[in-house]
Each structure stands twice: as C-alpha cells, then as structure tokens.
Amino acid sequence: MQIFDTHAHIGLIYDDPIEQLRVIQEAKRANVSRIISICNNLHDFSVVYQTLKSEPSVYHAIGVSPSEVTNPGRDWIHTVEEGLKLPNVVALGEIGLDYFRKFGDKTSQIELFITQLEIAAKADVPVIIHNRDAGQDVLAILAERLPNAGGVLHCYSEDAEYARIALDLNLYFSFAGNLTYRNARNLHETILTLPTDRILVESESPFMVPAEYRGKRNMPAYTPATVKFMAEMLDMETEALAEQLWKNSCACFRLPE
C-alpha cells in the first residue's frame, strides 16, 4: 500500500532541516510514499525547497496564501512564475480566501487570489485552494477563472450541497484528519456523496491531527489513519481506497503513477 499526502506544511512541523528529513523518512515507513510540501509564503518556500529539493518523494507547491496578503513579498509575481519552473514544483498554492482571520481586506484577498489564478492558467498548473468562511466567493471566482489544469479544494470544510455544485468544476476534494472527528457531520455526509475518483487525502500537518493521535503534532506519517477511517465510511478495503487515492493524486498533479 502506498499513500500520497497531498498537503503538508513540513516547514511548520520543524524548522530544522535534519528534523524535516526525519519527517520524510518516518512518513515512508508508514507507507506515505509521496508528499506535496506547502508553504504559505515565498521565503518559507525557498528555505524548505532547498532542504528537500533532492528528496524524490517530495513535490512542492509555490504560492502566496491569503495570510500574506498585506506583504506578499518584493516582486512576488516574478518569484512565483520562476518558482513554477523549478524541478518537482507541481502546483500553485495554497491560494484562496480566508475571511475568518480577516487578513487585510476582502478586496485585497480577492485581487491576490485572482492574480495567482491567472499565473496558474498561464503556466498550465493546478491550484491548491484555501477556503475559510469564504465559500461563496471562492466558488464564484473559480467558476469563472479556474485554470484548465484544475485544482483541489484542500482540507474540505463545506457541506454536501456545496460539493455538488463544485463537482461541475475540474476540482478534487481533499480531506484531512478532521474527517475522523465525531462532530464533523458535514464532512461525513459530503464524502458519501462524492465519486471516489474525485477524492484526495492530506495530512495538513502540523494541523488537523487524526482523532487517534489527538494531543500530538500532526505528521504526514499519520495520514494512513485518515485513509483507514475514510475506507470504513465508504465501505471499502483500505488498500483499495489507498490505490484509488494514489491514482487521483497523480492525475490531479500530473505525475506518473
């Protein structure tokens, strides 16, 4: 069995390069064979990429998250465009809208989001979408501006009706450890309505630790717990679901199986 963790903030788990490499090795021992490394800002991307660029099991996304809207970085558009040309950089993200934390203002967040969607369209790469308390605006923007390469709604948090509408777009739906929480009824209902070829799994580490690891800092190595829970919900064998999720992830990020 091999598992693809499509969203891990490795630089937020540890800032020490040796510890980051240890995280990758622990993941491999847990059958997590591929990881997409996510950074919220361009400085962190540069640091983590330099540490992990030679690790064949790790792929990278580059982008400016809504949390950085007030200070995306000097000449950030050029930096993102050039970063997308680097080896093993497979997506633009995470990008999107976050009205919960109220980063900057809505207009600025939307402008940052749209600009990066345009960059992704030009580069022909998928996007990794962050959405917190901004679901309707995110969906409206994606309906008009989602790149042909599509993307993923990461750490899905909306309900089944929202997913039904989003299914009309070239989007995957990624679930994290919060799927395993008893009170996550909206997620439980949603995953039962989705076709299995549109589902991904992620750790969202160091956040959203699966229920059985509550109290610990989340790691990519814990992703199998989410896959196991998901398989039970979908009445599938864990290995069969892991194989399907692997295929979906490779398709989403245009990687060989």
Side-chain angles (χ1 to χ4, degrees):
M1 182 173 70
Q2 52 186 0
I3 291 172
F4 197 139
D5 176 2
T6 60
H7 197 107
H9 295 271
I10 297 170
L12 295 182
I13 302 173
Y14 295 111
D15 57 12
D16 180 79
I18 294 176
E19 292 296 327
Q20 290 175 5
L21 291 169
R22 183 173 65 82
V23 166
I24 305 306
Q25 296 308 311
E26 289 180 355
K28 289 180 180 178
R29 287 193 287 271
N31 296 319
V32 179
S33 304
R34 285 180 177 172
I35 300 170
I36 303 287
S37 172
I38 308 292
C39 297
N40 287 348
N41 63 66
L42 300 179
H43 173 267
D44 289 352
F45 166 82
S46 178
V47 172
V48 174
Y49 183 82
Q50 288 302 315
T51 298
L52 301 177
K53 65 180 181 181
S54 298
E55 174 51 62
S57 67
V58 179
Y59 296 87
H60 302 264
I62 184 172
V64 180
S65 82
S67 64
E68 309 301 308
V69 65
T70 60
N71 186 25
R74 184 178 179 182
D75 200 16
W76 69 269
I77 292 176
H78 176 74
T79 301
V80 172
E81 290 174 335
E82 291 303 303
L84 288 170
K85 300 174 184 177
L86 294 171
N88 290 338
V89 175
V90 296
L92 202 160
E94 64 184 275
I95 63 174
L97 303 175
D98 191 321
Y99 295 165
F100 178 79
R101 295 291 186 185
K102 298 180 175 59
F103 300 113
D105 57 75
K106 289 184 179 181
T107 299
S108 297
Q109 284 199 33
I110 290 170
E111 289 176 353
L112 178 67
F113 185 25
I114 289 174
T115 298
Q116 292 185 95
L117 289 172
E118 292 172 345
I119 294 171
K122 181 179 178 181
D124 192 30
V125 295
V127 289
I128 299 170
I129 305 299
H130 174 101
N131 164 29
R132 193 167 187 191
D133 289 1
Q136 295 311 309
D137 282 355
V138 166
L139 198 58
I141 291 168
L142 291 178
E144 292 188 358
R145 299 176 180 272
L146 180 66
N148 290 335
V152 51
L153 296 173
H154 110 85
C155 196
Y156 188 80
S157 60
E158 298 285 348
D159 59 17
E161 176 60 20
Y162 188 97
R164 185 189 66 78
I165 299 170
L167 274 170
D168 290 336
L169 303 176
N170 184 19
L171 290 169
Y172 289 84
F173 301 76
S174 182
F175 293 87
N178 56 333
L179 178 71
T180 68
Y181 302 167
R182 289 183 178 180
N183 63 351
R185 294 186 182 89
N186 64 318
L187 303 184
H188 301 162
E189 292 171 359
T190 299
I191 201 165
L192 293 174
T193 68
L194 290 171
T196 55
D197 63 357
R198 298 283 286 275
I199 297 171
L200 307 180
V201 69
E202 64 177 90
S203 66
E204 173 66 328
S205 48
F207 316 108
M208 298 295 179
V209 64
E212 68 179 85
Y213 296 103
R214 273 279 178 86
K216 295 184 178 181
R217 177 184 297 183
N218 197 12
M219 302 282 184
Y222 300 160
T223 311
T226 305
V227 176
K228 181 175 183 292
F229 183 91
M230 191 184 296
E232 291 171 354
M233 289 206 68
L234 297 174
D235 195 24
M236 295 179 66
E237 294 294 329
T238 301
E239 290 193 8
L241 177 61
E243 182 179 354
Q244 180 66 61
L245 295 173
W246 181 273
K247 290 180 179 179
N248 298 347
S249 302
C250 293
C252 177
F253 295 107
R254 298 173 166 185
L255 295 170
E257 294 183 19

